Amino acid sequence: MNRRSFMKRAGVAGTGAAASVALAAPAVAQSLPSITWQLSSGYPKLLDTIYGTAEVFAESVRELTDGKFDIKVFAAGEIVDAFDGLDAVQEGKIDIASTASNYFWEKDPAFAFGTGVPFGLNQRMMNAWLYEGGGLELLNKFYSKFNVIGFPAGNTGAQMGGWFRREINTLDDMQGLKFRIGGFGGAIVEKIGVNPISLPAERIYGALENGTVDAAEFVGPYDDDKLGLNRVAKYYYYPGWWEGGVTVMNLINLDKWNALPSSYQAAIRNASAHANSVMMARYDTLNPPTLQELVQFGTVLRPYSSDIMLACFNAAKETYAELSAEHEDFKILHDSYMGYRGEAYLWFQLSEYAQDTFLMLQQRAGRL
């Protein structure tokens, strides 16, 4: 139902106190300022999932404020490059960066927890930790040191492990491999002999095609197909253990946030939460049929071998210990995040995992 037409009819039909409330609403709205902000996504328009959800967020804010708060959305590179979102927000060049917090982990490794870290939380657990487990409060205490505040505004779910031009069977096959891998995961694979390379989404295809990289990861079947990665690499590995439940953050200039009316702040919080839900629903709808199509047209699925997985797991634990000893903010967030992980997976194995395992066995037996 159209919200404005509903309010109009309510004002005409109502009597007494109800009519007063309905008729007062436009007067309140008229007293609020008209504001225009700029949001820069860390992703190209081609990716109608991870970029498109920023449009969902902006439209929700407009609807919640009767059009008074207008957020203009720009793709990566239009006004800010993909990896420059944090700097642009800090400096007030833009108002919001819709991006992965872990892109900025080299400024401070604690930024990784705003996205998710290797062998960490899945999407549901990440939401629980952020919204109800104290995670978002801890993150925003850390973010405030960079003059930003953040709100979850999307999640890709568990990602795939990347496209490879040749098979990777053992840990030895990883030595010297030039691997486009985003964010904090690169620091982990470097420990096992991989050469991590950071590239924005729009440059991955060319690098993989011309051999600048031997392998590349991005998100999952739908987005990877949009980027055409299946056309330049045959082997598709899983799982993306470094990104098990990737949160996309709305990073907002803190001074501009504090200057907003409280109702506009509420609009941003609620629109961000809506976008968070929409992105995951889109990926869960689009990834399964796309994966089937990729396999049908020649993509070869391969799991990472157990020795590669174990080496990466041990490298991650070693890295966490090193960074916790050197960075106080990292340790605070690590202890909260990993403490929640232990409790969450204990519950998960008794409920979700037990049911999911049963259903997967039924699927393999052809009963689903």
Side-chain angles (χ1 to χ4, degrees), residues 32-87:
L32 292 171
S34 293
I35 297 176
T36 299
W37 273 15
Q38 290 185 323
L39 177 154
S40 181
S41 172
Y43 311 98
K45 288 183 178 179
L46 173 67
L47 303 176
D48 55 354
T49 45
I50 201 165
Y51 165 82
T53 310
E55 295 276 13
V56 170
F57 160 73
E59 181 58 29
S60 295
V61 170
R62 283 190 286 271
E63 290 178 354
L64 289 167
T65 62
D66 283 331
K68 294 236 175 225
F69 192 179
D70 185 22
I71 297 176
K72 306 293 187 184
V73 178
F74 297 88
E78 289 186 328
I79 56 173
V80 173
D81 288 341
F83 297 147
D84 294 337
L86 175 64
D87 288 343

Side-chain angles (χ1 to χ4, degrees), residues 3 12 49 61 66 84 102 113 160 168 174 177 198-199 226 228 239 247 269 281 286 330 362:
R3 184 176 181 271
V12 172
T49 45
V61 170
D66 283 331
D84 294 337
N102 72 350
F113 290 100
M160 290 290 284
I168 302 296
M174 302 289 285
L177 189 84
S198 180
L199 292 171
K226 285 273 189 180
T247 295
R269 284 194 299 267
L286 296 167
F330 185 93
Q362 303 313 302

Side-chain angles (χ1 to χ4, degrees), residues 42-47 50 76 82-83 103 180 198-207 216-219 223-224 226-229:
Y43 311 98
K45 288 183 178 179
L46 173 67
L47 303 176
I50 201 165
F83 297 147
Y103 283 172
R180 184 280 172 190
S198 180
L199 292 171
E202 61 271 19
R203 293 178 55 194
I204 299 174
Y205 178 93
E217 64 81 35
F218 187 60
V219 174
D223 283 352
D224 294 358
K226 285 273 189 180
L227 295 177
L229 304 186

Side-chain angles (χ1 to χ4, degrees), residues 172-191:
D172 288 340
D173 294 332
M174 302 289 285
Q175 304 308 301
L177 189 84
K178 294 176 293 185
F179 190 13
R180 184 280 172 190
I181 180 170
F184 189 61
I188 308 303
V189 296
E190 191 170 24
K191 280 184 174 288

Side-chain angles (χ1 to χ4, degrees), residues 43-360:
Y43 311 98
K45 288 183 178 179
L46 173 67
L47 303 176
D48 55 354
T49 45
I50 201 165
Y51 165 82
T53 310
E55 295 276 13
V56 170
F57 160 73
E59 181 58 29
S60 295
V61 170
R62 283 190 286 271
E63 290 178 354
L64 289 167
T65 62
D66 283 331
K68 294 236 175 225
F69 192 179
D70 185 22
I71 297 176
K72 306 293 187 184
V73 178
F74 297 88
E78 289 186 328
I79 56 173
V80 173
D81 288 341
F83 297 147
D84 294 337
L86 175 64
D87 288 343
V89 169
Q90 282 183 274
E91 296 165 7
K93 293 179 180 177
I94 59 173
D95 307 289
I96 306 178
S98 173
T99 189
S101 176
N102 72 350
Y103 283 172
F104 316 112
W105 78 273
E106 290 180 323
K107 291 180 179 291
D108 191 305
F111 274 106
F113 290 100
T115 301
V117 297
F119 300 102
L121 303 175
N122 66 21
Q123 179 263 340
R124 281 185 55 183
M125 295 174 189
M126 187 68 174
N127 277 349
W129 177 67
L130 287 170
Y131 290 130
E132 298 293 335
L136 190 56
E137 289 84 355
L138 290 176
L139 274 170
N140 277 327
K141 184 176 181 181
F142 164 69
Y143 286 152
S144 68
K145 298 178 181 181
F146 296 83
N147 196 38
V148 299
I149 186 171
F151 298 99
N155 199 296
T156 70
Q159 297 191 1
M160 290 290 284
W163 296 87
F164 290 73
R165 292 157 60 97
R166 57 183 173 84
E167 283 193 84
I168 302 296
N169 296 312
T170 68
L171 193 57
D172 288 340
D173 294 332
M174 302 289 285
Q175 304 308 301
L177 189 84
K178 294 176 293 185
F179 190 13
R180 184 280 172 190
I181 180 170
F184 189 61
I188 308 303
V189 296
E190 191 170 24
K191 280 184 174 288
I192 66 165
V194 170
N195 179 16
I197 297 174
S198 180
L199 292 171
E202 61 271 19
R203 293 178 55 194
I204 299 174
Y205 178 93
L208 195 56
E209 181 183 39
N210 64 30
T212 302
V213 297
D214 305 305
E217 64 81 35
F218 187 60
V219 174
Y222 184 75
D223 283 352
D224 294 358
D225 182 51
K226 285 273 189 180
L227 295 177
L229 304 186
N230 58 301
R231 298 197 293 273
V232 287
K234 179 178 180 180
Y235 299 97
Y236 201 19
Y237 277 78
Y238 63 90
W241 47 264
W242 53 91
E243 294 181 323
V246 176
T247 295
V248 174
M249 280 281 175
N250 278 337
L251 297 178
I252 302 169
N253 181 281
L254 186 57
D255 294 331
K256 294 185 178 182
W257 166 263
N258 288 332
L260 286 176
S262 59
S263 60
Y264 285 10
Q265 291 180 343
I268 285 180
R269 284 194 299 267
N270 284 282
S272 295
H274 174 60
N276 192 21
S277 177
V278 167
M279 186 184 291
M280 190 70 260
R282 287 182 175 178
Y283 276 116
D284 278 347
T285 302
L286 296 167
N287 277 331
T290 306
L291 182 60
Q292 293 179 41
E293 291 174 4
L294 289 171
V295 171
Q296 181 182 352
F297 290 102
T299 293
V300 179
L301 292 178
R302 290 284 187 270
Y304 280 119
S305 64
S306 58
D307 66 325
I308 292 175
M309 291 291 289
L310 184 58
C312 292
F313 180 76
N314 290 334
K317 291 180 66 176
E318 179 182 317
T319 301
Y320 298 149
E322 292 169 353
L323 292 174
S324 291
E326 298 171 5
H327 301 273
E328 181 181 2
D329 288 319
F330 185 93
K331 184 179 189 311
I332 290 170
L333 283 158
H334 170 274
D335 291 352
S336 173
Y337 181 97
M338 294 303 181
Y340 178 75
R341 184 187 68 173
E343 296 178 358
Y345 273 104
L346 176 62
W347 164 245
F348 185 78
Q349 68 178 327
L350 296 175
S351 57
E352 305 290 339
Y353 179 74
Q355 174 177 269
D356 291 349
T357 300
F358 173 78
L359 290 173
M360 284 188 289

